[in-house]
Amino acid sequence: MAAGRDRVAGKIALVTGAASGIGRAIARMLAEQGATVMVADIQETMALAVVAEIAEEGGSAELVPLDVTDEGQWIAAVDGVLDRHGRLDVLVNNAGVGSRSDGTIEDVTLEGWRAVMAVNAEGVMLGCKHGVRAMKAQGGGSIVNMSSIAGIVGAPQLSAYCASKGAVRMLTKSVALHCARKGYGIRCNSVHPSYTDTPMVDRMINARSDPARMRAALESASPFGRMGAPDDIAGAVLYLASDDSGFVTGAELVVDGGVTAM
Ligand SMILES: NC(=O)c1ccc[n+]([C@@H]2O[C@H](COP(=O)([O-])OP(=O)(O)OC[C@H]3O[C@@H](n4cnc5c(N)ncnc54)[C@H](O)[C@@H]3O)[C@@H](O)[C@H]2O)c1
């Protein structure tokens, strides 16, 4: 856990995909550091459990039911936050889907491609659009978009996932430059994890004929000899959400234990 308890004190934050994995860790860490956190997800029961967990830890959180692919739901979610809290300081576009409907360029179907792009790319675009709308009126804010090392280096079997995460990487820079030129005071950055130990990766490992071997292969792919932990990624998001990163925009923060340094 990060040092201190007030790095985002008083901020209103919305985290998508916050019911599980990396999003859950981000929501808990932002709340631990003083933010009021909107736990946004399509899985409402699991999201409610995260809200309860944060309350037990002495933090402040609320459930925001949200399918990031639906613009009407984004409008309702952001307007609801503005009605209840008067502002939105931090938006973390973390919700994403993995490889089930993906494949190599020879295997991927148009339907599978669109399913991945709808959440990972269009969902982030809609979040940025409505996040900027809310934040510009108040004079600033921080948007953090969850990409992946798959947005920087290719993976042959993940054509749609790589394309979606590359889209997030470049959308982030476009949003950052637009907001800077307009003088909105809004920063926008992307985070690029390598394999991180979450339910998404568990599903991928357990779909293999030899899960233990697959897990060992993912661990040994990193110079650190382990996968990332959700808190490793949450710490990077906390930095970008906080005022410590006040001069950082359009940046790619790689959190990969050295994988892409090789
Ligand atoms: N785990 C990894 O190895 C890894 C590596 C790099 C990047 N990422 C990215 O990190 C993010 C989080 O991944 P994770 O590993 O925690 O996955 P996860 O499956 O554990 O959690 C993803 C969450 O997103 C939610 N979600 C999915 N579709 C949604 C939608 N349409 N609207 C709202 N919420 C939705 C799910 O309900 C779930 O709670 C994703 O964007 C993923 O691509 C993960």
Side-chain angles (χ1 to χ4, degrees):
M1 286 288 172
R5 296 192 67 86
D6 58 357
R7 291 179 61 194
V8 285
K11 292 189 190 291
I12 307 297
L14 188 152
V15 182
T16 71
S20 171
I22 293 171
R24 170 172 167 261
I26 294 167
R28 290 177 65 191
M29 197 177 283
L30 291 176
E32 185 201 41
Q33 293 293 325
T36 298
V37 179
M38 310 295 123
V39 176
D41 209 290
I42 36 171
Q43 301 199 68
E44 286 189 37
T45 307
M46 283 171 60
L48 263 178
V50 174
V51 169
E53 229 174 348
I54 289 172
E56 277 165 26
E57 291 163 357
S60 175
E62 295 171 13
L63 171 71
V64 173
L66 174 64
D67 179 343
V68 297
T69 67
D70 183 327
E71 186 163 19
Q73 291 191 31
W74 265 113
I75 292 168
V78 169
D79 289 354
V81 174
L82 295 178
D83 284 347
R84 291 194 302 284
H85 297 284
R87 56 191 299 113
L88 175 64
D89 301 296
V90 175
L91 170 62
V92 185
N93 286 307
N94 163 80
V97 291
S99 60
R100 194 169 299 171
S101 48
D102 208 345
T104 71
I105 191 57
E106 296 194 80
D107 303 327
V108 71
T109 62
L110 184 57
E111 190 188 17
W113 170 276
R114 285 180 174 158
V116 172
M117 295 299 275
V119 180
N120 294 9
E122 289 176 20
V124 175
M125 177 276 290
L126 291 171
C128 288
K129 183 177 171 93
H130 293 287
V132 168
R133 171 172 67 82
M135 289 173 179
K136 74 177 186 184
Q138 71 200 22
S142 173
I143 299 175
V144 183
N145 294 332
M146 194 57 64
S147 181
S148 165
I149 60 167
I152 299 174
V153 295
Q157 74 285 8
L158 298 176
S159 56
Y161 189 78
C162 288
S164 72
K165 294 302 186 180
V168 170
R169 175 172 171 242
M170 291 311 298
L171 170 69
T172 298
K173 295 180 196 305
S174 176
V175 172
L177 292 176
H178 170 71
C179 291
R181 284 190 182 152
K182 287 282 186 177
Y184 289 161
I186 301 170
R187 300 181 294 104
C188 185
N189 296 286
S190 56
V191 174
H192 301 259
S194 57
Y195 282 113
T196 305
D197 204 353
T198 69
M200 180 190 277
V201 167
D202 276 345
R203 287 190 292 274
M204 194 186 88
I205 289 173
N206 291 328
R208 297 302 173 107
S209 54
D210 188 345
R213 190 169 164 188
M214 182 64 186
R215 178 170 282 276
L218 294 184
E219 286 169 355
S220 63
S222 157
F224 276 3
R226 68 167 175 89
M227 281 194 264
D231 273 355
D232 291 326
I233 317 306
V237 173
L238 172 63
Y239 165 69
L240 293 171
S242 77
D243 297 338
D244 292 345
S245 56
F247 198 51
V248 181
T249 197
E252 305 164 16
L253 185 37
V254 174
V255 189
D256 71 346
V259 171
T260 56
M262 293 191 284

